[in-house]
Each structure stands twice: as structure tokens, then as C-alpha cells.
Amino acid sequence: MTVSEAGNTEHKVTFCRICEPLCGMIATVEDGRLTALRPDKDHPLSAGFACPKGIAFTEVVNDPDRVTVPLRRGPDGFEPVSWDAALDDIAARLSGILRRHGSGAVGWYFGNPTAFSYSHLMAVFPFIKGLGRHSHLFTASSQDTSNRMLASQFLYGAPTAVPIPDLMRTDLLLMLGSNPVVSHGSFLTTPRIKDRMHDIVNRGGRVVIVDPRRTETAAQFEWQPIAPDGDAFLLLSLLQVMFAEGLVDADQVARQADGLDWLRAQCAPFTPEATAERTGIDSMTVRQLARDLAASPRAAVYGRFGTCVGRNPTLTAYLIDVVNLVAGQLDKPGGSVFATTGAPGQRFATMALGAGLRRAYRRKRSRIGGFPSVLGAEPAAMLAKEIATPGTNQIRALFVSAGNPALSVPNGLELEAALPGLDLMVGLDLYVNETTAHCDYVLPVTTMYERDDFPVTFQTFQSTPFRQATEAVVAPRGQARTEWDIVADLMARMSRRPPVLAALVGLRSLVERTGRQWRPRLIADVMIRTSQGGDMFGLRRGGLNFRRLVGEHPHGVVVDDHIATGVLGDVVVYRRGRMKLAHKDIGAEIAAISRRENPDEFPMRLIGMRQPRSENSWMHNSPMLMGPVLKRGDRAHGALMNADDGAALAIADGDTVSIRSASGAIEVPVTLTTDIVRGAIAVPHGWGHSGSGGWKLANRGGGVNVNTLMSTAPADVESLAGMSWLTGVPVRVQSA
Ligand SMILES: Nc1nc2c(c(=O)[nH]1)N[C@H]1C(S)=C(S)[C@@H](COP(=O)(O)OP(=O)(O)OC[C@H]3O[C@@H](n4cnc5c(=O)[nH]c(N)nc54)[C@H](O)[C@@H]3O)O[C@H]1N2
Ligand SMILES: Nc1nc2c(c(=O)[nH]1)N[C@H]1C(S)=C(S)[C@@H](COP(=O)(O)OP(=O)(O)OC[C@H]3O[C@@H](n4cnc5c(=O)[nH]c(N)nc54)[C@H](O)[C@@H]3O)O[C@H]1N2
Ligand code: SF4
Ligand SMILES: [Mo]
């Protein structure tokens, strides 16, 4: 597969990188231009499936509103400049800031699409960390997954050890806080995930969806309603029942983990009767669920986004794994399993990584709020305060790549007020969005179809071990460049280069002197070659490498039918390869949870809701997804609440309501339904494009930024993983 030449039509095999299933795609390229995308029937796993977002991506690539040349802020708004002018000025100003204030004056926020591009991830992380000890890194993870990674750091010693449900073999799937029929799965790369979940039922098993809303997923399987942010109570009760009813095989658990007695004592007070008020789930249901999980030969508990953004998300993620462990379902076929790549030496690499991150977690604290460092990052909820609060290590230069924190982090208004105080702000994005609108420079980047890739991030989240790599299918539009190239060029131009950056620049020229290109695919190639199915640098004949994947297996290769089990001893990097259950921080969370109180003046609970034709804040400029002219009847932002709550508050279907929290207020139209628990109101995020952004159709879409209701007070940010509080937020709802 090569990049298109002019004057012909080609159909190129590639894959989508908007969300986690990475569905196979066929790109039609005419005269070097991407003209259509259709699902790849020959992809072994997605087999002809793609969702509307994936198909609509042609419109993103060719969007007239896309940034395709470097932009500099002038007196009359953004104006085009050359790459040389932009990067020289950025390098000079950055060097000056480093000279005057040190590395603590520089911050980088990278958003969700970063995880879907190896050339982005591998460029930004070493750059910002290489600036020096005090530089600030923020990511979307503190609104998403940091709690999950930290729970793994506690339990297994390394944040990268994240178990997934063995969907292909399980007979009982308990899914909390996830809506894969819409989201297509998260921390779980399972193409056609809905079909794979129906397979469970078709082979006689069960799928139970624990969610405050009868979601698109819950409607197709068994719905177990729960009060928002009730999951930790439910999980503690499941454990309490397993211990109290003697359902635990203590010998087996003792072979896998230390600290079972500590855990038993922690759970003892949480009988299902005691937690029913917190969860809204009657005690008999909880008891039966505990028995089923322990008795089923193949059961798995899985929790995602809805369990990651409440008040105690690290505890909740910890408890999910511990329920799997205690039920005897961890690291066995059909249970909760670790999808390793099988690369030799991985344990030692993970050991070193885990030790370093555990040390950073203990020692490094954020300047504002004193939050620990998780995977080298600080809570994004503190970004505005880190910019606005004077003092040593105050952020003066900020880079934002593939993110829109003005809409995605709590209290976007506070952030938008802080951004103009920066001395330098640089965005790397496809668009001028609500955040990059504040930049001094917005630099044009490639879309996924304009770059080669191998999904490094998702290899260990795959339900079926699989490898696929792709070349770029079209050349970058305009002057767009990969983040890798932008960062490399910037480093080369900096007059002040901290030692790590100097070493990186040196390494690059060393590699290039051998005639090779210093590119991320070198690293991906090593990963492919040493993983399961790889050629081991020639030791395994016919094995995979990057070149062979794109040349001989463009649709990808299944490298094993199932995830290997019995690997816990290799995954856990603590001494003796055993999980550690007893943690002071977890004990403190459990002790605090019963004291959690809800303010009377905000009697309802706000939850979120993803939509099939949105991707966080960034696909609202596609006519295919929004309706070409956005007439009435096309997409509009709105909330969902229970019809009985509506009646009690004299709110009728279609009314505009005001939703007020301790932090702010918004107004949206509401739809009344019986498909949500009483007391909850659901509002999608990613809306409220302000008009300062350059995406014209998105701006016409209206709606409001729900994160206006979310708090950035340090006391409202989870103290362990720095998670933003985005679900179960106390609100008051009134007719507007
Ligand atoms: N179409 C579409 N797909 C997407 C995205 C998108 O914006 N649009 N975003 C992508 C991203 S970035 C991510 S992280 C993934 C997320 O994908 P998922 O992890 O599947 O998350 P959501 O779809 O947000 O579903 C979360 C569910 O949790 C429920 N919930 C809320 N509060 C609670 C609670 O306290 N307890 C429980 N048990 N449930 C609760 C909500 O009602 C909701 O149904 O989706 C990805 N896929
Ligand atoms: N209330 C509430 N808030 C939430 C959530 C929620 O469910 N409810 N979800 C949270 C979650 S899970 C997430 S992941 C975050 C997402 O929040 P963010 O990651 O901060 O932002 P996105 O809305 O995903 O915007 C992504 C930006 O990246 C740009 N982009 C796309 N591809 C590329 C690329 O290849 N390179 C570059 N440089 N830019 C690119 C897009 O144009 C867009 O501007 O939101 C979080 N915030
Ligand atoms: S589900 Fe849709 S957006 Fe996600 S990878 Fe597949 S086609 Fe792309
Ligand atoms: Mo996310």
C-alpha cells in the first residue's frame, strides 16, 4: 500500500482511530484526495462494521474549517504564517521562558486523540518530561482513566496492568458504568462489541448492565438500575456477602494475593442491607449477584467511565478487580484477564516503570492542591489555577494538543479566563476549537489517514490478540505535519535545551547518520517483532514486523484465538508476583465513604450521556453527523430525566430547565422518560461550542457546556488519582 499518486482511484486498506475498536476501513482515494470511507468486510474482527462517525471522517479530513497552515494571532484574529516563522518564534519564546523561570513555567495538556496516534504520544511525553523536573503535564485521563491506572498501580505494582473481561469466553458479564452500544467499548478493544455481548447470551450466559439509565446497552441486555455514584457500596457489599456466606476459596486467593484478612475486615460493615439506601438496590438482588459471580465457572466484572468520575473512583476500580479476585475469576478463561503482548523482558520493563511511578506518586505533589503524580501527570481540574496562581512554577507557556479542555474539564469558564494570562500558548489541532482559540499559534496537524500508525496504546486491551498497522492513505492536507515532526523541529530550534532534549536531538542525528529515519515506527516495529506473532528479528520465520503487516496483512492478523491466562505472576511486579490488597489510602477511602453526605439544596444527581454521532467535543462540524444545515429536527443538545421527577417539579416534556450546582448553572431542554432512575438527570458533554472556535457548523449546533456545573475546588477533586468529579454531582433542577 503506498500513498496515492495523482490521476487514479485507489481503494486502500486501513483502520479507524476515532474510538477503541479500531474498525477496519477501506479508503477511496481519487487523485490523491480521500473521497470515501467504507467498512472493511475482510477485517477479521470488525468484518464489515463501522459506525456513522467512522464513515463521516472523510468530512473531517476535507473540512473547509480545518486548520491547514500555521496560524498566528494578530490584531485582527488569526493569520497564516510560515512554519519557519512560527517555530522560530515559539522556540525563541519558549527558550526565554525556560531561561527566566525554569521548567516549572511550561505545561502541556494532551487530549483523547493522542492515545490513537503513536507519532503523537511518543513525541509529546519525552518532550514535556525532558524539559525538566518541574514541567507540568495534564491529560484527559484525569477525566477518564487515571483512577483505573492508579488502582492497578496499588494492586499489581504498575499502572499498565489493567485487566479486561474475557468477553469471548465469559458466561456472566457484570458491566458497570459503560454503554458500549454507543461508546463501542473503552479500555476494551473489541470490534463489534455489541455482537460479542449478544454471543454471551446466545451461548446461555448473562449480561447485566449496572447503570442509573436504561441505556441503549441496558435495553438489549439485563438492566440493573443503581443510584449515581453507588458502585463502591455495591462492590463492598458483593465482597461482604462472599466472605459472610463462605463463597471464597481462600487458598486460591492466597496464591494470588496478600492481605485477604485485611480486605475481609474492611468489607464487614457493608452488608447489602446497610448499602441498599446508597445504591437503590435491594439486598436480595445483591446477595444473588454475589452468589452467581462466585459460583459461575466463567464470570467477569468490568467497570468503565461511569465508575471513574464519581467521588471515590480509585476505590471503585480497586474493588472491581478485588471482586473478580475474591470470586475466583481473576486471570482465568472467561474471567477478568490480562492481555499481555507476550514480549520477553516485558516484566522487567514494567517493574522499572512501576517502581519509578510508585516513587513519583509518593514524592511528587502538584503545586496547587497537593495532588500526587499519576502516570507523570497532574489533575487537569487544576490547570486553570496552575496558570492563574502566582509563585514559583506558575505556568507561563502552555501547549495544548488534541484536546479541548475548555469544554472537557470542570469549570471551563475558569480556564478560559486564565488562558489570556499566559505568555505563550500553542495549539496543535485540526481545528481552532474553544481552547485553541486562545492560542498565540495554532499549528496544523495530520488526521489519522494522513499518517502511518500502529495502535501501541490498545494492544493490551484487545479481547482477541490482533495486530494491524497502516501507512498513510493520503498525503497531509495543506501544510499539516505530525506532532512528531513538529516537536522534533521545535527541539532543534530551541536555543536553550535541557539535557534530555539535547540527548534526544543528538540521538536523532545519530540515527539519521546511519541512513535510517528516526521515527516512531522504529519503536512500533520492535514492539511488533518481539510480541506474540512477531518475527523476533528473524528468529521466528514468517513472523510479523511492521513492513510485513502493512504489505502482506493489510487487514490485520489475529495472533491468538484467546487471551493467555495464568499470567498474574508475570503481570504483578511486586516481589513474589503477588497482588497487594492492603493499602492505607484505600482503607481511608473506605472509612470515609459512609460519611459521604449530600447537600439538601441540591437534591438531584447529574450524570453524563454519550451520543452515537458525537465524539466528545470534536465531531460536531460534520454535516453527515449533524444534518447538513442543522434545521429543526436535526441534532440538538438536551437532558433526560425521569417523568415522575418531572411531574413533581411541574416540568413538562420539552421544557427548558435550569440545572444549578454549587459551581454554576446551565439551561437545556429536557426530555422526560421512564428509562432513568428517579433523582438523576443526564446531560451529554462536548456541547456549547462558543463561537470563538473556528468550526462553523459546530457553533451553530448550540447547546451548553455541562462542565460549567463541575467543580475545580481541590476538595472536589479526588485526592488519590486527581479525578475530576463528573457524575453524581448534586444539582437542583427547575423549570426555566
Ligand atoms: N459515540 C461516542 N463514542 C465514544 C465517545 C463519544 O463521545 N461518543 N467517547 C469515547 C471516550 S473518550 C470514552 S472514555 C468512552 C467511554 O465509554 P464508556 O465507558 O462505555 O462510557 P459512557 O458511554 O460514557 O457510559 C457511561 C455510563 O455510565 C453511566 N453512569 C453514570 N454515572 C454512573 C454511576 O455512578 N454508576 C454507574 N454504574 N453508571 C454510571 C452513564 O449513565 C452511562 O451510561 O467512549 C468512547 N466512545
Ligand atoms: N462532563 C463530562 N466531561 C467529560 C467527559 C464526560 O463524559 N462528561 N468525558 C471525558 C473524557 S472520557 C474525555 S476522553 C475527555 C475528552 O476531552 P479532550 O481530550 O480534552 O477533547 P476532545 O473533545 O476529545 O477534543 C479533541 C480535540 O483533538 C483534535 N484532534 C483530533 N484528532 C487529532 C490529532 O490527530 N491530532 C491533534 N493534535 N488533534 C486532533 C480535535 O479537533 C479536537 O479539537 O472529555 C472528558 N470530559
Ligand atoms: S466504532 Fe466508529 S468511530 Fe469507533 S473505530 Fe469503529 S468506525 Fe471508528
Ligand atoms: Mo475518554
Side-chain angles (χ1 to χ4, degrees):
M1 203 179 53
T2 52
V3 173
S4 162
E5 290 148 35
N8 57 358
T9 300
E10 290 170 275
H11 301 281
K12 298 189 175 190
V13 185
T14 183
F15 55 93
C16 181
R17 282 149 275 165
I18 301 172
C19 75
E20 297 179 45
L22 308 167
C23 302
M25 282 286 181
I26 306 292
T28 305
V29 180
E30 292 175 70
D31 296 335
R33 190 169 179 271
L34 180 72
T35 54
L37 289 162
R38 65 186 150 83
D40 180 5
K41 290 196 196 66
D42 298 317
H43 188 284
L45 301 172
S46 65
F49 174 84
C51 82
K53 293 178 295 165
I55 302 298
F57 204 82
T58 322
E59 297 187 330
V60 173
V61 175
N62 299 315
D63 195 333
D65 291 345
R66 194 179 142 190
V67 178
T68 56
V69 295
L71 299 178
R72 178 173 60 202
R73 173 187 303 288
D76 307 313
F78 286 114
E79 53 198 38
V81 287
S82 69
W83 273 110
D84 279 336
L87 290 179
D88 277 341
D89 188 40
I90 295 166
R93 287 161 72 178
L94 184 62
S95 300
I97 290 169
L98 284 169
R99 206 171 286 122
R100 286 192 303 279
H101 305 287
S103 60
V106 186
W108 194 304
Y109 173 95
F110 64 73
N112 170 279
T114 308
F116 293 82
S117 165
Y118 70 174
S119 53
H120 191 162
L121 202 60
M122 290 189 208
V124 172
F125 203 81
F127 175 77
I128 186 68
K129 288 288 153 190
L131 284 178
R133 271 198 315 137
H134 301 291
S135 63
H136 303 264
L137 172 64
F138 306 87
T139 75
S141 287
S142 55
Q143 289 67 247
D144 194 352
T145 53
S146 295
N147 65 310
R148 174 59 264 186
M149 318 279 285
L150 182 61
S152 287
Q153 187 170 304
F154 286 165
L155 284 167
Y156 315 106
T160 45
V162 175
I164 61 172
D166 189 4
L167 280 190
M168 313 306 278
R169 290 185 282 188
T170 197
D171 293 326
L172 171 57
L173 175 64
L174 182 67
M175 189 176 250
L176 303 93
S178 178
N179 183 16
V181 168
V182 170
S183 72
H184 307 286
S186 184
F187 261 37
L188 192 54
T189 286
T190 313
R192 287 182 170 271
I193 189 167
K194 182 177 78 177
D195 296 346
R196 301 292 76 84
M197 289 166 66
H198 279 294
D199 290 346
I200 299 173
V201 179
N202 292 339
R203 59 178 180 255
R206 290 171 62 198
V207 174
V208 180
I209 308 293
V210 181
D211 200 300
R213 184 166 75 84
R214 185 169 179 267
T215 58
E216 297 77 354
T217 308
Q220 297 195 21
F221 299 95
E222 292 174 47
W223 179 35
Q224 174 55 61
I226 187 167
D229 215 5
D231 305 86
F233 292 102
L234 169 63
L235 294 160
L236 284 163
S237 283
L238 290 174
L239 289 168
Q240 191 277 335
V241 174
M242 288 180 201
F243 285 121
E245 297 192 2
L247 309 176
V248 185
D249 180 345
D251 290 341
Q252 187 191 317
V253 177
R255 280 192 293 276
Q256 294 180 304
D258 292 320
L260 190 65
D261 291 335
W262 180 87
L263 180 73
R264 184 187 290 122
Q266 296 291 318
C267 306
F270 295 90
T271 62
E273 290 72 22
T275 57
E277 199 200 332
R278 303 285 193 154
T279 60
I281 306 176
D282 70 85
S283 58
M284 272 323 294
T285 304
V286 178
R287 286 184 188 283
Q288 194 54 50
L289 201 50
R291 291 170 197 150
D292 291 345
L293 285 171
S296 166
R298 293 164 176 232
V301 185
Y302 161 83
R304 251 313 266 136
F305 185 76
T307 64
C308 293
V309 286
R311 298 243 66 184
N312 304 89
T314 303
L315 171 64
T316 303
Y318 164 97
L319 290 171
I320 287 168
D321 287 11
V322 167
V323 169
N324 281 312
L325 168 78
V326 170
Q329 305 291 0
L330 193 68
D331 190 32
K332 61 175 243 198
S336 184
V337 295
F338 297 89
T340 53
T341 61
Q346 203 182 335
R347 180 174 159 82
F348 297 101
T350 317
M351 236 175 200
L353 175 82
L357 291 171
R358 293 201 306 275
R359 193 181 138 99
Y361 180 81
R362 283 193 308 270
R363 302 210 172 161
K364 207 172 167 199
R365 287 284 179 272
S366 67
R367 186 173 72 106
I368 312 292
F371 292 96
S373 153
V374 178
L375 272 162
E378 303 169 30
M382 292 300 120
L383 174 56
K385 292 179 173 59
E386 290 284 358
I387 296 169
T389 313
T392 314
N393 299 331
Q394 175 185 11
I395 297 176
R396 294 161 197 271
L398 179 70
F399 291 78
V400 175
S401 61
N404 196 1
L407 293 189
S408 67
V409 310
N411 198 350
L413 294 175
E414 181 192 32
L415 181 61
E416 290 203 62
L419 295 176
L422 290 164
D423 295 340
L424 174 67
M425 182 176 174
V426 179
L428 291 76
D429 207 288
L430 305 173
Y431 293 97
V432 175
N433 65 26
E434 287 66 31
T435 310
T436 55
H438 296 274
C439 285
D440 299 300
Y441 288 94
V442 182
L443 305 177
V445 294
T446 56
T447 64
M448 59 186 169
Y449 293 118
E450 298 160 331
R451 58 183 178 236
D452 53 277
D453 223 329
F454 174 72
V456 175
T457 327
F458 302 103
Q459 294 306 301
T460 52
F461 294 109
Q462 302 182 104
S463 290
T464 302
F466 181 72
R467 306 281 180 267
Q468 186 174 21
T470 183
E471 300 284 4
V473 301
V474 286
R477 232 185 97 195
Q479 298 180 30
R481 295 186 181 176
T482 64
E483 293 79 0
W484 176 273
D485 288 327
I486 297 170
V487 169
D489 199 346
L490 177 63
M491 285 195 289
R493 288 172 201 251
M494 286 167 67
S495 61
R496 176 165 183 105
R497 261 197 305 265
V500 176
L501 297 203
L504 286 172
V505 172
L507 184 63
R508 179 185 173 190
S509 67
L510 215 68
V511 171
E512 290 183 349
R513 239 177 285 155
T514 68
R516 286 162 173 266
Q517 280 199 314
W518 171 235
R519 306 209 64 84
R521 73 194 285 162
L522 256 181
I523 298 165
D525 191 42
V526 172
M527 185 169 173
I528 295 164
R529 300 178 91 159
T530 54
S531 294
Q532 202 175 9
D535 74 354
M536 295 300 290
F537 296 96
L539 288 180
R540 207 184 283 139
R541 282 190 52 212
L544 300 173
N545 56 40
F546 198 104
R547 188 177 40 78
R548 212 170 263 155
L549 262 185
V550 293
E552 296 167 25
H553 309 281
H555 306 280
V557 189
V558 171
V559 293
D560 203 345
D561 291 340
H562 291 295
I563 296 167
T565 52
V567 300
L568 191 67
D570 291 328
V571 167
V572 178
V573 301
Y574 289 130
R575 264 189 305 136
R576 300 197 297 143
R578 291 145 66 91
M579 294 168 64
K580 203 184 265 183
L581 299 180
H583 292 275
K584 186 166 87 323
D585 288 347
I586 293 292
E589 288 287 288
I590 295 174
I593 191 171
S594 301
R595 297 197 294 272
R596 206 157 79 189
E597 275 174 38
N598 292 323
D600 292 338
E601 66 271 38
F602 299 112
M604 304 253 320
R605 297 287 164 267
L606 180 72
I607 66 172
M609 181 171 138
R610 283 187 156 71
Q611 301 171 301
R613 286 185 292 155
S614 296
E615 183 68 12
N616 299 316
S617 77
W618 72 282
M619 287 196 72
H620 289 153
N621 213 49
S622 156
M624 276 195 221
L625 300 176
M626 297 297 278
V629 286
L630 262 175
K631 330 179 271 316
R632 264 184 85 82
D634 285 336
R635 302 203 40 210
H637 195 206
L640 272 185
M641 68 187 275
N642 189 287
D644 292 337
D645 287 330
L649 294 164
I651 291 166
D653 191 55
D655 279 1
T656 295
V657 293
S658 116
I659 309 176
R660 185 171 293 278
S661 72
S663 306
I666 58 172
E667 291 192 357
V668 273
V670 72
T671 301
L672 300 182
T673 173
T674 51
D675 288 341
I676 188 168
V677 296
R678 280 206 68 175
I681 180 163
V683 183
H685 73 290
W687 290 79
H689 302 287
S690 64
S692 57
W695 32 29
K696 299 192 194 76
L697 183 64
N699 292 337
R700 289 212 304 280
V704 291
N705 176 6
V706 69
N707 285 331
T708 307
L709 298 170
M710 314 306 183
S711 170
T712 59
D716 290 332
V717 174
E718 191 228 9
S719 61
L720 300 183
M723 292 301 290
S724 294
W725 181 15
L726 304 174
T727 198
V729 174
V731 292
R732 186 168 69 245
V733 180
Q734 285 170 312
S735 180

